[in-house]
Amino acid sequence: GSDRHLLRPEEPVAAEKADALRALIARRAAHEPVQYLLGSWPFLDFEVKVAPGVLIPRQDTECVAEQAIELGRQILATG
């Protein structure tokens, strides 16, 4: 969901939140990427939805995309 904070120290843990946390822990223990657990991940200036079968945006990919954008701008400026 939109609330990534399952637990708040000032509040008692509701059973449904405890169950949700246990499920996330089990998925992570099975080596599922955090990005899949969250359902989205930031890339450049937006959030990308991610799930199994979708490549997870990485910081090095972001650098490559930024360079491609800059080269595209340069080409358009000289074109």
Side-chain angles (χ1 to χ4, degrees):
S2 62
D3 186 4
R4 292 186 179 179
H5 303 284
L6 290 174
L7 302 176
R8 301 183 194 287
E10 67 277 4
E11 297 176 11
V13 178
E16 64 186 37
K17 284 189 177 185
D19 290 342
L21 183 58
R22 281 187 200 95
L24 288 172
I25 290 169
R27 289 171 60 191
R28 186 64 191 125
H31 305 288
E32 186 170 346
V34 171
Q35 295 86 344
Y36 291 166
L37 301 178
L38 296 174
S40 66
W41 199 250
F43 185 76
L44 296 175
D45 294 333
F46 52 94
E47 283 287 308
V48 178
K49 288 187 177 186
V50 292
V54 175
L55 292 175
I56 297 168
R58 295 176 18 168
Q59 188 173 5
D60 56 338
T61 307
E62 194 168 299
C63 292
V64 170
E66 288 171 340
Q67 288 295 313
I69 291 167
E70 182 56 34
L71 285 172
R73 287 181 179 148
Q74 291 174 9
I75 290 168
L76 289 174
T78 61

